[in-house]
Amino acid sequence: MAWYDEMQAVHGRLRRALELVRDAAHDDDPHPSDPVADLLVYCRGFCTALTRHHTAEDAVLFPELERLHPDLADVLRRLRQDHGMIAYLVADLEHALDRATDPLASRDAVGRHLDGVGAIMESHFRYEERALGGVLAALDLGERREDVLGPL
């Protein structure tokens, strides 16, 4: 399995999921069926997928990379710090969803949270792909993709 290609595919799916959530948050339809429900479905799914991706990397991929490539310790430390920052932003987003009562006001607040999560996520993904690309392309890891990169 080409782990670098798999990581890029997972990142691509998460980027597309974020776009779906953003579309729901910025839907200008004056009579949406239920904008809060749409946001809840899309946001919760995105938040869960992103969290599970980072949890899998922290639990399976990064320890294996540290074992095989001790020189990557600083890179992996930074990536783990990013995971912590993203988890904090995702928790804030979920709290905004929990407080969503006025559909129009909540879309604006959720949209701002999504912009923050999206900016940090994109920066993180680009750095991760650049920093680990060569190592992942050559990695021979006998684990299931879902265990290494999450369920996407």
Side-chain angles (χ1 to χ4, degrees), residues 62-142:
F62 291 177
E64 186 63 14
L65 290 178
E66 268 181 326
R67 187 181 70 75
L68 296 171
H69 301 278
D71 56 306
L72 289 176
D74 288 340
V75 168
L76 297 170
R77 180 187 44 74
R78 179 176 171 191
L79 291 170
R80 285 184 180 110
Q81 286 175 335
D82 285 356
H83 289 176
M85 182 184 341
I86 292 168
Y88 177 81
L89 294 172
V90 165
D92 275 356
L93 170 59
E94 290 181 319
H95 291 305
L97 288 171
D98 291 340
R99 294 186 306 268
T101 54
D102 176 359
L104 295 177
S106 66
R107 287 191 305 185
D108 291 341
V110 169
R112 286 189 300 276
H113 284 282
L114 289 170
D115 290 343
V117 170
I120 300 300
M121 182 186 85
E122 186 59 34
S123 173
H124 169 76
F125 285 175
R126 288 177 190 242
Y127 175 72
E128 186 173 54
E129 290 170 2
R130 255 189 343 269
L132 300 180
V135 171
L136 290 176
L139 183 63
D140 182 21
L141 185 59

